[in-house]
């Protein structure tokens, strides 16, 4: 395009672009305002419903006092409010006695907070969300405070977006809005009326001119194509395996969402606490010690692959040395599968839900039979033929081949299951339901030709010799002591180490941070740096217990003898699991005897008994510094140092213990403990506490060691 | 801290610079002690009107009282005998069989020129209590004879023997006759028959001196109640000065003046804080003892009838006063003689005597009341003021504690707004009184009363009673004065009723929690509704996660949040529960394959083993096969994906 030609429309285009852009922005603002309004209304409705519920409960409960109606004392009314009321012709005088309303004691101020029972990690705030209001005096007196605050956020305040702000949605809308203008431009007129007109290059040129940081016109056009394409899902999104559009994809892709979102430490997907990338090294790569499912030599049903020629002999031959022994075991104990999860056998767990093998094969066979027969009949009637499956590999007249028709979902599922059950096709077939054992077997043979043979990843760390096991434990106990003695005050956050092929030595992140390796680490189970757990038979509340000594809670997977692994809380005799199980005391909130709100114990507590966990938002030290600036001004802080990297802030999210006040002679103390890989703050009783006592702990050892938060305390210091 | 004392102190330390500061200090000092003192005064008045409990029932007070309370063993057979015995007579409460009255002398003022001796008649008046409106109460008087008593015997001129009268204890019997009775010992003094000539001058002087002249002309009398209402003997061993009044004017007030057993009733008390006596005039001023005629008697309970005359007893020596023990109304065994304030030492009333010569009959005599110094300490400047008392009455509620230990215990327990620290010294005890900084004055009643707006009640109203059952069986330590000494002032002040005497509020709404719902813990659940919503939203926000995955992940997340699983070992169980609770949902929402992928994911992360997966799948399929609808749904889903 000639520069002159480019120049000429640009003034017009500029105008149009600017006009449309402003219009869209305004539209968007209105839309947003409406959204906010409706959200507010919704919330308000929720709140008032809650209040109504509360009212109803209060009224249904007998123990209420009804405010006594003041008796009308004839002589005592000294003031009357009198009003003349003109009512047509008549003039009435109305009077009513004046009543004094007495001042009710105000409750302490409380800002809204959300209840949580576990810590909650939040990201750093890069923009200042609101300018805190703390009374006109503060602003008048210290005008520089707000400026300083804004400077902390690099001048970014929520809501004032730069004028050139544009996002995908606005961009698409803008382009669409500009399409009509290209007709006016008259340069190239679109003739086809059927399809929606495509934007010309001029549109993108104009936009690029207006927003130079958004890239060249060509880039913009590509982006637009991408955005408006309804078909284009994000490339990494796998179709639903249960849906109609399931495709045959590699295992990696099938498992991708589960793999990236699963939190190994919380057992949840996309958990609230472990939001950092480094927390999730992904599935452990080293070969697990768990024995695979023993392969049965008995056919699982009529379609079992073992009925195929020679197959059974092969298996039997492979299992020959152990066959007798295995069969023996199967007969004696109703425990055909080993249910180890990498650690020593949990005999208790496996006992409860093991079914005799005979019943289960019969049952699954039945289900499979239903599926296959229905499948077959459906195909014969031709109802299935009309729509050719996306991944159906062509229909052949041969019934056996017809059965072999593997849909994308089936293929993906097989690939997901194959590494688990390996060559145990019976188990794979049972899990898949829709395919018989023989079909699975045949498919597996096909796949095997494509895929490399199952690789055995070597253990990253050389395994230790077994006989040293006991000594290992005592070495660890000594190491704990050493660690304790030489402890600098720095406690670093735990991140699972991930250094394949190397043992945990000085280069290991856990060793460097003076943390033990946890079960979440990628290192070998025999790693030197792993904490061995305790073998206490008692309550693990003395320094006899290595866990207690190391300021750790007992790990349910490591400490077996103290009963930390029981699911039912009342079965646990170990007292060193209170934080992870949330065995907190019942706390009650009331106006404090000291300042503001206070928290009170409903029941009594023994010395060193667990009271509650101090929960809140986990924020970085930097974020804590920024937030602390505001909290300092308010003279009210819920910050609590967790370790060198993170701070717990109970301002926005927290639990009731956040109301505990500070005292120099407190009845509680705080202890940061390592609980299954996380640092968590436990509040414990420093001395026996009576029911109804207010709880205090010494802030100075926990939060930022600044006394300025506690006005009362300062006065005491001066005395 | 009487006003005059305050002035004096200021005078002593009058320096122009310090004066203002000192005044201010003193003001602070007074203010500090004023409020608790007034509170305790008020409480004392209230407990007089409606006592909550009797002090004598308290364990530590029981030790103080002279009576030995023996544990009574009641047998049914003995009930009648006991009742009879109780009713029978007063002999069991009189210390001896015979009440011997030794008439030491009759004292009138010297200028009356009294006769050398007078006749004294001792009689017992028995008053039957009035029943309903029977008119005058029947009274029976029994005379126990006349004796001659020397007038104004001096140490030198006293005859070597004194006449005695004897009242046998049987005469106090209440058994015969109707109804309960009170006994009054009446002492009547009439002039000696042969001294008629002295009568005239006395008559003349009647106009000059107030009432004393009446004594010599007409028979004078005095009444001594023998028992109080509870039937206890008031006439204890000792020497009595009996104030005599003219016969016709035998008002009870005159008689009461001489009753020795009630020190509290008529001994004018003047504590330094403020007067207790409601401004009522003391019926008989103690001055009367120095002017009016008195008869000095010595009462003793003996077990044999005495001789008609006995050897004159040595006069009892007052302890350390400058005046003879003229004003002392009584010396009773309890030794609760009121000591006047030492500052007004010029006053004659101040003199006190606790002369004790115990008759041999009275065994186990208590020690003389020690000198107790109350030292009021206040403020950083250690401002203090000392007040000395010679009795064991509580300075705030005038409770007679009898001994030092009960007194200290009482102070500590009943006046907890102060702290008391006991320091023994040679002549008695010093008690340092200071304000108890850590006194817990919080209201211990129904918390609802606290939130009730004050305007809702007109005038004083009764608060809602709240009951707390206290079971406290502390190991009793042996009472020892050491427990009041400095050492353990910190620990001891724990309230007995601990608990929830405050209004609790909900954390979400700030509304008051009714007492019935205190037991519900709003933190009991791990998955607060907002967290459930949050996790759902967070999962659904992902753009590159497909619908099936999202649905299953949310379901699983909610399950894990609800049960708070903590270890790998719990996962198989978690899966079993998940299948049990959500199996049908998984089938109905067509998520079976996603569920299998979820299992595979758990395996990949090393959480569960292939065995667990196999078992989970089996459990799932069993669940499905158990339900026909589910089976067909599952099969349709699986085939639907295929076609």
């Amino acid at each position: 395009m000639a520069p002159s030609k480019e120049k000429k429309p640009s003034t017009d285009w500029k105008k149009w672009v600017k006009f449309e852009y402003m219009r869209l922005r305004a539209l968007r603002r209105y839309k947003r305002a409406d959204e906010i309004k409706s959200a507010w209304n919704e919330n308000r409705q929720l709140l008032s419903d809650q209040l109504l519920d509360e009212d109803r409960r209060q009224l249904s409960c007998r123990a209420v006092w009804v405010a006594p109606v003041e008796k009308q004392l004839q002589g005592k009314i000294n003031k009357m409010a009198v009003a003349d009321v003109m009512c047509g012709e008549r003039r009435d005088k109305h009077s009513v006695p004046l009543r004094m309303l007495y001042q009710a004691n105000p409750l302490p101020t409380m800002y809204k907070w959300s209840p949580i029972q576990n810590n909650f990690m939040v990201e750093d705030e890069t923009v200042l969300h609101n300018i805190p209001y703390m009374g006109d005096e503060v602003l008048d007196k210290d005008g520089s405070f707000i400026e300083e605050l804004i400077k902390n956020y690099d001048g970014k305040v929520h809501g004032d977006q730069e004028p050139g702000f544009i996002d995908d949605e606005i961009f698409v809308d803008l382009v669409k809005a500009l399409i009509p203008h290209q007709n006016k431009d008259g340069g190239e007129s679109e003739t086809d009326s059927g399809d929606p007109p495509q934007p010309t290059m001029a549109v993108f040129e104009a936009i690029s001119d207006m927003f130079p940081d958004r890239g060249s016109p060509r880039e913009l056009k590509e982006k637009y194509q991408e955005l408006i394409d309804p078909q284009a899902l994000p490339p990494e999104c796998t179709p639903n395996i249960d849906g109609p559009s399931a495709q045959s994809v590699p295992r990696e892709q099938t498992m991708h969402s589960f793999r990236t979102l699963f939190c190994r430490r919380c057992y949840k997907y996309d958990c609230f606490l472990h939001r950092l990338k480094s927390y999730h090294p992904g599935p452990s790569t080293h070969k697990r010690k768990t024995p695979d499912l023993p392969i049965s030599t008995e056919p699982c049903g009529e379609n079992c692959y073992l009925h195929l020629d020679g197959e059974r002999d092969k298996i039997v031959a492979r299992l020959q040395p152990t066959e007798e022994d295995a069969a023996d075991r199967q007969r004696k104990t109703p425990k055909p599968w080993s249910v180890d999860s990498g650690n020593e056998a949990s005999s208790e767990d496996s006992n409860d839900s093991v079914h005799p093998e005979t019943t289960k094969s019969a049952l699954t066979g039945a289900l499979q039979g239903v599926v296959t027969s229905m499948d077959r009949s459906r195909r014969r009637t031709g109802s299935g033929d009309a729509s050719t499956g996306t991944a159906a590999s062509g229909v052949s007249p041969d019934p056996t081949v017809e059965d072999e028709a593997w849909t994308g979902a089936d293929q993906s599922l097989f690939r997901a299951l194959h590494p688990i059950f390996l060559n145990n096709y019976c188990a794979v077939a049972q899990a898949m339901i829709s395919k018989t054992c023989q079909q699975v077997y045949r498919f597996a043979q096909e796949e095997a030709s494509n895929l490399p043979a199952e690789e055995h990843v070597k253990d990253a760390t050389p395994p230790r010799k077994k006989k040293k096991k006991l000594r290992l434990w005592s070495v660890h106990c000594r190491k704990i002591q050493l660690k304790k003695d030489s402890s600098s005050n720095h406690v670093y956050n735990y991140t699972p180490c991930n250094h394949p092929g190397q043992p945990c030595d000085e280069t290991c992140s856990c060793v460097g941070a003076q943390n033990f390796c946890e079960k979440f680490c990628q290192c070998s189970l025999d790693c030197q740096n792993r904490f061995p757990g305790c073998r206490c038979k008692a309550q693990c509340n003395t320094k006899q217990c290595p866990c207690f000594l190391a300021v750790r809670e007992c790990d349910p997977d490591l400490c077996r003898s103290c009963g930390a692994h029981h699911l039912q809380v009342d079965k646990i005799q170990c007292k060193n699991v209170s934080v992870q199980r949330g065995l907190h005391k019942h706390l009650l909130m009331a106006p404090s005897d000291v300042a503001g709100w206070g928290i009170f114990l409903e029941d009594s507590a023994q010395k060193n008994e667990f009271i509650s966990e101090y929960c809140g938002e986990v924020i970085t030290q930097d974020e804590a510094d920024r937030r602390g600036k505001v909290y300092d001004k308010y003279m009210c802080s819920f910050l609590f140092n967790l370790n060198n990297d993170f701070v717990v802030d109970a301002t926005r999210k927290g639990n009731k213990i956040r109301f505990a006040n500070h005292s120099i002679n407190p009845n509680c103390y705080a202890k940061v403990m390592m609980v299954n890989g996380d640092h968590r703050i436990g509040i414990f009783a420093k001395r026996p506490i009576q029911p109804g006592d207010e709880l205090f702990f010494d802030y100075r050892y926990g939060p930022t060691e600044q006394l300025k938060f506690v006005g009362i305390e300062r006065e005491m210091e001066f005395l | 801290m009487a006003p005059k004392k305050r002035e004096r102190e200021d005078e002593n330390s009058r320096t122009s610079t310090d004066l203002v500061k000192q005044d201010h200090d003193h003001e602070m000092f007074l203010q500090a002690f004023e409020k608790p003192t007034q509170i305790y005064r008020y409480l004392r008045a209230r407990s007089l009107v409606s006592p909550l409990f009797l002090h004598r029932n308290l364990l530590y007070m029981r030790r103080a009282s002279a009576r030995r309370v023996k544990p009574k063993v009641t047998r049914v057979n003995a009930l009648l005998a006991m009742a009879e015995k109780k009713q029978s007579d007063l002999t069991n409460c009189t210390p001896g069989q015979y009440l011997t009255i030794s008439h030491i002398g009759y004292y009138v003022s010297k200028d009356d020129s009294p006769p050398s001796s007078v006749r004294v008649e001792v009689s017992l008046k028995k008053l039957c209590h009035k029943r309903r409106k029977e008119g005058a109460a029947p009274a029976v008087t029994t005379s126990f004879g006349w004796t001659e008593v020397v007038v104004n015997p001096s140490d030198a001129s006293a005859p070597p023997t004194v006449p005695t009268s004897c009242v046998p204890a049987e005469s106090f019997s209440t058994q015969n006759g109707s109804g309960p009775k009170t006994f009054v010992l009446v002492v009547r003094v009439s002039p000696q028959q042969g001294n008629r000539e002295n009568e005239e001058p006395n008559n003349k002087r009647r106009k000059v001196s107030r009432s004393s002249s009446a004594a010599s002309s007409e028979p004078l009398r005095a009444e001594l109640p023998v028992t109080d209402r509870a039937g206890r003997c008031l006439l204890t061993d000792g020497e009595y000065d009996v104030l005599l009044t003219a016969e016709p004017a035998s008002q009870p007030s005159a008689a009461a003046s001489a009753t020795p057993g009630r020190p509290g009733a008529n001994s004018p008390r003047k504590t330094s804080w403020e007067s207790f006596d409601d401004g009522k005039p003391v019926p008989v001023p103690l001055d009367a003892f120095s002017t009016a005629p008195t008869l000095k008697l010595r009462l003793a309970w003996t077990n044999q009838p005495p001789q008609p005359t006995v050897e004159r007893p040595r006069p009892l020596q007052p302890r350390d006063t400058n005046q003879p023990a003229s004003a002392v109304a009584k010396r009773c065994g309890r030794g609760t003689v009121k000591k006047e304030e030492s500052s007004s030492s010029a006053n004659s009333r101040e003199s006190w005597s606790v002369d004790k010569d115990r008759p041999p009959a009275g065994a186990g005599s208590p020690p003389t009341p020690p000198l107790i110094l109350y030292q009021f300490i206040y403020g950083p400047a250690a401002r203090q003021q000392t007040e000395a008392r010679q009795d064991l009455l509580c300075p705030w509620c005038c409770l007679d504690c009898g001994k030092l230990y009960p007194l200290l215990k009482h102070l500590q327990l009943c006046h907890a707004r102060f702290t008391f620290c006991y320091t023994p010294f040679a002549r008695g005890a010093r008690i340092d009184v200071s304000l108890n900084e850590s006194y817990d004055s919080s209201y211990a009643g129904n918390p609802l009363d606290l939130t009730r707006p004050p305007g809702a009640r007109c005038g004083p109203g009764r608060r809602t009673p709240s009951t707390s059952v206290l079971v406290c069986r502390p190991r009793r330590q042996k009472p020892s004065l050491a427990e009041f000494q400095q050492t353990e002032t910190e620990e001891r002040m724990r309230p007995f009723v601990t608990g929830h005497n405050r209004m609790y509020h909900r954390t979400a709404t700030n509304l008051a929690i009714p007492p019935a719902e205190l037991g519900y813990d709003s933190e009991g659940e791990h998955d607060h509704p907002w967290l459930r919503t949050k996790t759902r939203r967070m999962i659904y926000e992902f753009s590159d996660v497909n619908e099936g995955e999202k649905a299953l992940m949310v379901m699983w997340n909610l399950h894990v949040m609800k049960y708070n699983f903590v270890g790998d070992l719990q996962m198989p169980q978690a899966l079993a529960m998940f299948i049990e609770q959500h199996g049908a949902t998984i089938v109905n929402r067509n998520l079976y394959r996603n569920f299998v992928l979820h299992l595979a994911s758990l395996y990949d992360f090393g959480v569960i083993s292939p065995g667990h997966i196999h078992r989970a799948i089996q459990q799932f399929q069993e669940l499905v096969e158990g339900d026909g609808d589910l089976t067909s749904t599952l099969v349709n889903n699986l085939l639907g994906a295929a076609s």
Side-chain angles (χ1 to χ4, degrees), chain A residues 235-272:
Chain A
E236 59 270 37
C237 184
T238 323
N240 186 0
I241 195 170
D242 277 318
S245 58
Q247 290 167 6
S248 168
V249 289
R251 184 171 199 269
E252 283 302 307
Q253 200 180 328
T254 314
M255 301 299 296
H256 182 265
S257 301
F258 290 100
R259 187 165 288 187
T260 46
L261 291 185
F262 185 72
C263 174
R264 168 77 181 83
R265 295 160 72 173
C266 299
Y267 308 107
K268 276 183 284 202
Y269 291 97
D270 196 34
C271 81
F272 297 134

XYZ file of all heavy atoms in Angstrom, chain A residues 235-272:
311
model
N -5.394 -25.505 22.505
C -4.807 -26.738 21.975
C -4.636 -27.808 23.036
O -4.711 -28.992 22.717
C -3.448 -26.266 21.435
C -3.194 -24.956 22.090
C -4.522 -24.342 22.334
N -4.437 -27.419 24.268
C -4.140 -28.441 25.276
C -5.392 -29.057 25.884
O -5.309 -29.953 26.701
C -3.253 -27.855 26.378
C -3.838 -26.688 27.105
C -3.460 -25.372 26.442
O -3.387 -25.314 25.197
O -3.245 -24.400 27.174
N -6.556 -28.537 25.496
C -7.773 -29.072 26.094
C -8.154 -30.390 25.421
O -8.426 -30.447 24.231
C -8.914 -28.076 25.957
S -10.400 -28.633 26.775
N -8.167 -31.418 26.210
C -8.543 -32.726 25.692
C -10.057 -32.850 25.725
O -10.678 -32.416 26.681
C -7.956 -33.820 26.600
O -6.681 -33.389 27.039
C -7.869 -35.129 25.876
N -10.643 -33.423 24.671
C -12.100 -33.630 24.725
C -12.472 -34.572 25.861
O -11.679 -35.423 26.259
C -12.433 -34.235 23.373
C -11.237 -34.082 22.539
C -10.074 -33.860 23.408
N -13.655 -34.376 26.351
C -14.137 -35.190 27.456
C -14.138 -36.662 27.063
O -14.727 -37.051 26.064
C -15.556 -34.728 27.822
C -16.051 -35.441 29.047
O -15.341 -36.264 29.622
N -17.270 -35.094 29.449
N -13.511 -37.453 27.845
C -13.382 -38.878 27.523
C -14.728 -39.579 27.623
O -14.967 -40.610 27.008
C -12.333 -39.522 28.434
C -11.915 -40.894 27.885
C -12.842 -39.643 29.857
C -10.734 -41.473 28.588
N -15.616 -38.999 28.405
C -16.953 -39.575 28.519
C -17.915 -38.961 27.515
O -19.066 -39.364 27.426
C -17.496 -39.361 29.931
C -16.985 -40.415 30.880
O -16.955 -41.583 30.475
O -16.612 -40.067 32.013
N -17.435 -37.951 26.791
C -18.329 -37.257 25.886
C -18.346 -37.892 24.509
O -17.598 -38.836 24.231
N -19.176 -37.398 23.631
C -19.283 -37.974 22.291
C -18.067 -37.677 21.417
O -17.813 -38.395 20.462
C -20.545 -37.321 21.730
C -20.714 -36.070 22.518
C -20.118 -36.310 23.869
N -17.338 -36.633 21.740
C -16.236 -36.251 20.849
C -14.890 -36.734 21.359
O -13.860 -36.155 21.058
C -16.212 -34.727 20.683
O -16.079 -34.134 21.959
N -14.941 -37.785 22.158
C -13.693 -38.286 22.718
C -12.771 -38.744 21.616
O -13.208 -39.328 20.619
C -13.983 -39.430 23.682
N -11.508 -38.460 21.767
C -10.542 -38.819 20.730
C -9.501 -39.764 21.309
O -9.322 -39.847 22.516
C -9.833 -37.556 20.228
C -10.724 -36.658 19.428
C -10.094 -35.294 19.228
O -8.944 -35.083 19.604
N -10.852 -34.390 18.643
N -8.861 -40.393 20.380
C -7.768 -41.256 20.784
C -6.515 -40.405 20.900
O -6.022 -39.887 19.913
C -7.572 -42.351 19.743
O -6.374 -43.017 19.986
N -6.073 -40.231 22.106
C -4.915 -39.367 22.336
C -3.903 -40.127 23.177
O -4.257 -41.106 23.836
C -5.322 -38.070 23.074
C -6.109 -37.167 22.165
C -6.099 -38.403 24.328
N -2.679 -39.667 23.153
C -1.696 -40.335 24.011
C -2.043 -40.189 25.485
O -2.808 -39.313 25.883
C -0.394 -39.596 23.691
C -0.658 -38.753 22.526
C -2.118 -38.622 22.343
N -1.438 -41.046 26.261
C -1.744 -41.056 27.693
C -1.424 -39.712 28.339
O -2.194 -39.209 29.168
C -0.908 -42.143 28.361
C -1.233 -42.304 29.832
C -0.557 -43.523 30.404
N -1.211 -43.924 31.646
C -0.835 -43.494 32.838
N 0.153 -42.660 32.958
N -1.476 -43.917 33.907
N -0.293 -39.139 27.928
C 0.101 -37.852 28.495
C -1.033 -36.850 28.400
O -1.362 -36.150 29.355
C 1.314 -37.297 27.746
C 2.621 -37.957 28.115
C 2.914 -37.831 29.590
O 2.885 -36.696 30.107
O 3.137 -38.877 30.232
N -1.646 -36.836 27.239
C -2.689 -35.835 27.022
C -3.958 -36.179 27.805
O -4.634 -35.296 28.321
C -2.975 -35.742 25.524
C -3.655 -34.457 25.138
C -3.926 -34.398 23.654
O -3.158 -34.948 22.848
N -5.004 -33.749 23.276
N -4.243 -37.454 27.862
C -5.433 -37.847 28.616
C -5.320 -37.414 30.069
O -6.264 -36.922 30.669
C -5.576 -39.382 28.583
O -5.370 -39.828 27.256
C -6.929 -39.786 29.081
N -4.142 -37.634 30.579
C -3.978 -37.410 32.005
C -3.597 -35.972 32.321
O -3.403 -35.623 33.484
C -2.870 -38.330 32.541
C -3.125 -39.796 32.342
S -4.614 -40.324 33.182
C -4.161 -40.025 34.862
N -3.472 -35.144 31.257
C -2.846 -33.844 31.481
C -3.528 -33.009 32.559
O -2.895 -32.491 33.479
C -2.810 -33.072 30.155
C -2.135 -31.752 30.272
N -2.822 -30.600 30.495
C -0.817 -31.414 30.242
C -1.974 -29.609 30.591
N -0.742 -30.068 30.431
N -4.839 -32.881 32.467
C -5.553 -32.039 33.430
C -5.397 -32.580 34.843
O -5.127 -31.832 35.786
C -7.043 -32.000 33.088
O -7.221 -31.493 31.810
N -5.591 -33.867 34.967
C -5.491 -34.461 36.293
C -4.090 -34.260 36.852
O -3.906 -33.958 38.014
C -5.810 -35.961 36.222
C -7.250 -36.241 35.948
C -7.681 -36.564 34.677
C -8.179 -36.169 36.975
C -9.011 -36.820 34.430
C -9.505 -36.424 36.724
C -9.934 -36.754 35.452
N -3.126 -34.440 35.964
C -1.749 -34.386 36.409
C -1.356 -32.990 36.840
O -0.653 -32.806 37.828
C -0.852 -34.852 35.270
C 0.560 -35.009 35.643
C 1.280 -35.802 34.613
N 0.916 -37.203 34.635
C 1.520 -38.135 33.907
N 2.466 -37.783 33.085
N 1.164 -39.384 33.986
N -1.805 -31.999 36.103
C -1.372 -30.647 36.436
C -2.168 -30.066 37.602
O -1.661 -29.240 38.340
C -1.528 -29.706 35.232
O -2.810 -29.929 34.660
C -0.449 -29.960 34.219
N -3.380 -30.489 37.757
C -4.185 -29.852 38.793
C -4.151 -30.593 40.124
O -4.432 -30.010 41.155
C -5.649 -29.743 38.339
C -5.884 -28.769 37.201
C -7.355 -28.649 36.902
C -5.326 -27.410 37.557
N -3.807 -31.868 40.083
C -3.871 -32.622 41.335
C -2.793 -32.137 42.283
O -1.640 -31.933 41.895
C -3.686 -34.109 41.059
C -3.859 -34.959 42.276
C -5.117 -35.147 42.818
C -2.764 -35.547 42.888
C -5.287 -35.930 43.940
C -2.939 -36.338 44.015
C -4.198 -36.525 44.544
N -3.184 -31.951 43.527
C -2.219 -31.575 44.541
C -1.878 -32.820 45.341
O -2.722 -33.370 46.044
C -2.764 -30.493 45.464
S -1.645 -30.140 46.812
N -0.647 -33.228 45.196
C -0.192 -34.438 45.871
C -0.314 -34.299 47.392
O -0.387 -35.269 48.122
C 1.268 -34.649 45.460
C 2.042 -35.673 46.225
C 1.653 -37.050 45.767
N 2.388 -38.055 46.510
C 2.032 -38.498 47.709
N 0.987 -37.973 48.291
N 2.728 -39.432 48.322
N -0.320 -33.069 47.876
C -0.246 -32.870 49.323
C -1.611 -32.686 49.958
O -1.813 -32.983 51.127
C 0.652 -31.675 49.609
C 2.062 -31.991 49.161
C 2.874 -30.770 48.947
N 3.225 -30.140 50.198
C 4.045 -29.120 50.291
N 4.578 -28.606 49.218
N 4.317 -28.585 51.452
N -2.547 -32.132 49.210
C -3.895 -31.966 49.759
C -4.848 -33.034 49.255
O -5.971 -33.124 49.723
C -4.485 -30.621 49.350
S -3.573 -29.228 49.903
N -4.425 -33.785 48.258
C -5.285 -34.770 47.597
C -6.467 -34.109 46.915
O -7.527 -34.703 46.769
C -5.770 -35.838 48.588
C -4.639 -36.451 49.360
C -4.445 -36.154 50.686
C -3.754 -37.315 48.730
C -3.383 -36.699 51.389
C -2.696 -37.854 49.421
C -2.505 -37.551 50.741
O -1.459 -38.095 51.430
N -6.303 -32.860 46.570
C -7.385 -32.140 45.919
C -6.901 -31.642 44.568
O -5.709 -31.579 44.294
C -7.795 -30.930 46.766
C -8.780 -31.270 47.852
C -9.201 -30.021 48.591
C -8.130 -29.560 49.531
N -8.607 -28.713 50.609
N -7.842 -31.280 43.739
C -7.482 -30.667 42.480
C -7.488 -29.166 42.663
O -8.430 -28.602 43.223
C -8.468 -31.078 41.380
C -8.310 -32.538 41.026
C -9.134 -33.500 41.589
C -7.309 -32.948 40.164
C -8.975 -34.833 41.291
C -7.140 -34.282 39.854
C -7.970 -35.227 40.425
O -7.802 -36.546 40.133
N -6.441 -28.539 42.195
C -6.326 -27.093 42.278
C -6.588 -26.627 43.716
O -7.535 -25.890 43.974
C -7.320 -26.424 41.309
C -6.955 -24.975 41.090
O -5.761 -24.667 41.087
O -7.881 -24.161 40.940
N -5.737 -27.052 44.608
C -6.003 -26.806 46.025
C -5.729 -25.348 46.364
O -5.193 -24.596 45.562
C -5.152 -27.716 46.898
S -3.470 -27.119 47.102
N -6.113 -24.976 47.567
C -6.013 -23.575 47.964
C -4.624 -23.204 48.479
O -4.299 -22.036 48.577
C -7.011 -23.283 49.088
C -8.429 -23.453 48.680
C -9.314 -24.133 49.480
C -8.879 -22.898 47.499
C -10.630 -24.278 49.109
C -10.199 -23.042 47.119
C -11.079 -23.737 47.926
